[in-house]
Amino acid sequence: MSADVRHDAIVLSHLSKSFGNVQAVRSIDLTIARGEIVALLGPNGAGKTTTIDMILGLSRPDTGTVTLFGASTRDAVQAGEVGGMLQTGSPPQYLNVRELITMVASLYPRPLDVDKVLKLTGTMDIAKRSTVKLSGGQTQRVRFAVALVANPDLLVLDEPTAAIDVEGRRDFWNIMREVAADGKTVIFATHYLEEADSYADRIVLMARGRIVADGPPTEIKAKVGGRVIRATLENVDVAELSQIPGVTAADRRGEGITIKCADGDACDKVLRELLTRYPGARDFEVRGVGLEDAFLELTANDEDDEDLEQGLL
Amino acid sequence: MKHLTYLKFEVLRTLRNRRFLIFSLIFPLVLFFAIAGPNKHITVEGIHFPLYYMTAMASWGSMTAMLSSGARIAAERQIGWTRQMKITPLSTRTYFSAKVLCGYMMAIFSILCLGIAGSALGVHLSAIEWLKMMALLLVGLIPFAVIGILLGHLMKVDSLGPALGGVTSLFALLGGSFGPIFTSGIMLNVVKDIPSYWLVQASQSVLSPSGWPPAQAWIVIAIWTIAMTRVAMRVYQRDTQRVS
């Protein structure tokens, strides 16, 4: 049974989920077309994992529906159209890596060749090793292999690179791209803007249970990729600072100045210019705006969001 | 069966679990040789003592195998593997069935090992008697398959060992695996409502020629199975809905 090409891969409609008093996901609507690679980006507690659990049928929505390839989650999962990497899900004991992958492959109607997956994920050299004798990075590769061997039309990955270093992260995404090249749909959760920017062709920004922005990476990056420079500098006019190219906002309190710029590149230029113009400037501190702050800015004018103003979360 | 490869690996995992093998195979054997060995020429009320003790240990060993097979789900829950399995086409029913089948496999191993040990001490049973004992034991084990799965969903790995040990010992003790503790009175009627009592009776059906169990046995087994299945299903549903 192959998924109908006419249907979108994922359609979420009015999806909500609460845990006690905490509204983890608040009536979100989202449609993901076949073949899209979408990043679900947001700070911790944004509702990413809850959304993913509902997409996979691991958690039942309070309201709203999940449709995968035009069918229910249950049907899509049973037809082997869905594969996933959850935040938890360590391989079980008493199997070696090859046996584990073979076992998982046997559950799916159209699995990839086990050898191919072992090669692809760099687990061939540990194929005979017991699943409990793996390092953190190796475990992550094995979990990745578990998701890949299913050869699903939709791959759902919940913070797949959380436990691996930068180099491993690049390897991971190179493999993912290769696998997804034949039209797979991929949705992954992350709290790294860089990761979302580099590997997704669409970013859905979530915060406090809502989708607060949705668009191509360039667009989202412009919204949330800002940098803040702080420094000590006496007797400077704020208006002068604001005129430095790349500065989006400037402020001064006593001897401390705060300058905002759109992204990392702009920030570098502003810093150089600042040093040239004001050799007396010192105590530099540069930081990213951060997703949480960026979100607050994005929703600052959201007047119907009462409980945010009241700080209920 | 659709998922033969899956079942094959589940069996493999069961056989590689050394602790599981020790508790369901080795312990009953050791106890059997320790107790029945020195008494191998003794006959109590016309029953050859090693035969009596072999049937007692068969009930204990097979029950341990069955309970701990389901209870191993606790470990898979703890590492999040059950959630991973839920997003594969493997149905929950098949996942549980595989655990029960592995439990039965180990239970049969346990009984066979004791059979061999028994013959070493001069126990003799006809093929018919063996079949009868085995068949009745397999029926008597049904509630324990469900209780095992229930434990697997109630317990954390840390508390599983003591809980499993406690539950098994209590059932074995009350049921009479280590010898009957009540032979008359109100407590006998109480323990007759416990499935392990009938498991022991099933095992000891070969001790007397008339030994088919009474209707009460089937009723107790059925009621425990249904009740425990209900509880297990409720616990399973609660467990499936993630609370965080």
Side-chain angles (χ1 to χ4, degrees):
Chain A
M1 184 161 81
S2 179
D4 192 325
V5 287
R6 287 167 301 178
H7 290 293
D8 286 312
I10 302 178
V11 179
L12 307 182
S13 135
H14 306 301
L15 207 60
S16 297
K17 179 80 182 176
S18 295
F19 298 106
N21 291 326
V22 182
Q23 282 183 278
V25 172
R26 306 168 179 223
S27 191
I28 62 171
D29 291 288
L30 181 66
T31 299
I32 293 171
R34 291 175 70 91
E36 274 192 295
I37 298 185
V38 178
L40 212 52
L41 176 68
N44 288 328
K48 305 187 296 288
T49 294
T50 307
T51 304
I52 279 182
D53 280 355
M54 287 191 284
I55 291 173
L56 291 171
L58 291 171
S59 176
R60 200 175 302 137
D62 294 339
T63 64
T65 54
V66 176
T67 312
L68 305 180
F69 302 109
S72 70
T73 293
R74 196 191 154 89
D75 289 348
V77 165
Q78 276 180 358
E81 286 163 357
V82 183
M85 223 175 135
L86 307 169
Q87 272 194 40
T88 55
S90 310
Q93 264 181 299
Y94 308 116
L95 288 177
N96 69 32
V97 171
R98 177 188 291 278
E99 289 165 342
L100 176 75
I101 306 303
T102 309
M103 181 179 91
V104 173
S106 77
L107 302 175
Y108 284 87
R110 305 170 297 275
L112 289 182
D113 179 59
V114 172
D115 278 319
K116 186 183 164 188
V117 171
L118 291 175
K119 259 184 222 139
L120 206 57
T121 53
T123 46
M124 194 54 112
D125 52 330
I126 52 166
K128 287 194 173 160
R129 193 169 300 178
S130 160
T131 52
V132 289
K133 287 183 181 156
L134 304 173
S135 71
Q138 288 168 337
T139 301
Q140 200 72 354
R141 282 169 180 273
V142 169
R143 296 180 55 215
F144 185 32
V146 165
L148 281 189
V149 79
N151 192 23
D153 301 307
L154 170 65
L155 265 165
V156 182
L157 314 163
D158 194 358
E159 300 196 6
T161 60
I164 47 186
D165 57 20
V166 178
E167 197 188 334
R169 200 167 285 176
R170 204 166 39 230
D171 287 349
F172 175 92
W173 286 108
N174 285 338
I175 301 163
M176 185 53 81
R177 276 204 174 136
E178 196 177 316
V179 171
D182 63 344
K184 286 196 194 315
T185 311
V186 179
I187 178 167
F188 67 98
T190 179
H191 49 250
Y192 301 114
L193 175 63
E194 296 74 23
E195 188 170 41
D197 178 37
S198 309
Y199 304 109
D201 35 54
R202 175 179 166 196
I203 297 178
V204 173
L205 184 64
M206 280 191 82
R208 301 190 179 179
R210 293 228 165 92
I211 292 174
V212 291
D214 180 354
T218 45
E219 190 184 312
I220 304 298
K221 212 171 140 190
K223 280 183 177 157
V224 303
R227 293 278 199 282
V228 179
I229 303 169
R230 284 179 211 279
T232 307
L233 181 57
E234 295 90 357
N235 306 322
V236 65
D237 187 1
V238 172
E240 259 179 57
L241 290 175
S242 305
Q243 277 156 19
I244 300 174
V247 172
T248 54
D251 190 21
R252 184 169 76 97
R253 293 214 176 127
E255 294 180 351
I257 58 165
T258 305
I259 296 172
K260 284 187 185 169
C261 21
D263 55 38
D265 290 348
C267 176
D268 292 344
K269 286 180 191 136
V270 169
L271 267 176
R272 283 193 198 96
E273 191 63 30
L274 202 61
L275 282 164
T276 318
R277 290 194 193 181
Y278 309 101
R282 61 192 182 279
D283 303 334
F284 284 97
E285 179 199 326
V286 180
R287 62 177 181 90
V289 169
L291 291 175
E292 185 71 17
D293 292 344
F295 155 72
L296 285 174
E297 249 169 62
L298 280 172
T299 54
N301 300 321
D302 195 350
E303 287 186 4
D304 56 27
D305 214 351
E306 281 171 25
D307 41 13
L308 284 184
E309 257 94 77
Q310 289 165 5
L312 277 184
L313 274 163
Chain B
M1 183 152 172
K2 200 169 132 201
H3 294 298
L4 268 182
T5 310
Y6 177 75
L7 187 64
K8 183 184 96 186
F9 284 114
E10 274 290 293
V11 169
L12 207 58
R13 293 183 58 211
T14 308
L15 295 175
R16 285 177 184 170
N17 187 337
R18 221 168 287 153
R19 211 177 315 167
F20 188 32
L21 289 183
I22 289 171
F23 279 103
S24 45
L25 298 187
I26 313 289
F27 263 35
L29 274 180
V30 168
L31 215 56
F32 174 71
F33 279 118
I35 308 277
N39 301 308
K40 65 177 172 181
H41 300 301
I42 291 178
T43 301
V44 182
E45 291 175 23
I47 297 164
H48 185 206
F49 184 77
L51 169 62
Y52 171 80
Y53 214 72
M54 184 192 80
T55 58
M57 288 299 100
S59 67
W60 184 45
S62 61
M63 183 171 70
T64 305
M66 213 61 201
L67 283 172
S68 40
S69 181
R72 286 182 306 145
I73 293 170
E76 291 177 20
R77 271 174 60 234
Q78 189 142 326
I79 57 170
W81 184 248
T82 46
R83 280 164 59 80
Q84 185 74 42
M85 293 317 279
K86 276 174 196 158
I87 61 172
T88 72
L90 183 77
S91 68
T92 309
R93 183 188 293 258
T94 313
Y95 174 78
F96 287 158
S97 304
K99 290 278 184 284
V100 172
L101 281 175
C102 287
Y104 266 123
M105 177 188 76
M106 294 304 291
I108 291 170
F109 273 176
S110 181
I111 299 165
L112 291 180
C113 285
L114 282 160
I116 294 164
S119 60
L121 295 188
V123 171
H124 182 77
L125 286 177
S126 68
I128 296 290
E129 283 171 320
W130 267 113
L131 279 177
K132 176 180 163 188
M133 174 182 165
M134 193 71 100
L136 287 178
L137 269 173
L138 296 190
V139 175
L141 285 169
I142 295 171
F144 296 98
V146 185
I147 295 170
I149 289 173
L150 177 63
L151 282 176
H153 283 86
L154 284 176
M155 294 294 150
K156 290 209 158 72
V157 174
D158 286 345
S159 50
L160 187 64
L164 202 54
V167 169
T168 312
S169 308
L170 197 65
F171 270 128
L173 196 67
L174 291 176
S177 281
F178 307 120
I181 52 169
F182 304 110
T183 44
S184 63
I186 188 162
M187 283 312 289
L188 177 64
N189 287 324
V190 171
V191 295
K192 278 184 171 180
D193 291 328
I194 296 171
S196 54
Y197 177 86
W198 296 108
L199 188 70
V200 175
Q201 296 304 307
S203 190
Q204 297 181 340
S205 61
V206 290
L207 300 184
S208 61
S210 65
W212 285 98
Q216 192 187 357
W218 308 99
I219 293 168
V220 169
I221 288 168
I223 288 177
W224 273 77
T225 304
I226 292 166
M228 287 297 132
T229 304
R230 287 223 166 155
V231 178
M233 274 168 73
R234 186 159 296 180
V235 172
Y236 170 76
Q237 271 155 11
R238 192 193 66 189
D239 189 63
T240 308
Q241 292 305 306
R242 192 186 159 99
V243 194
S244 67

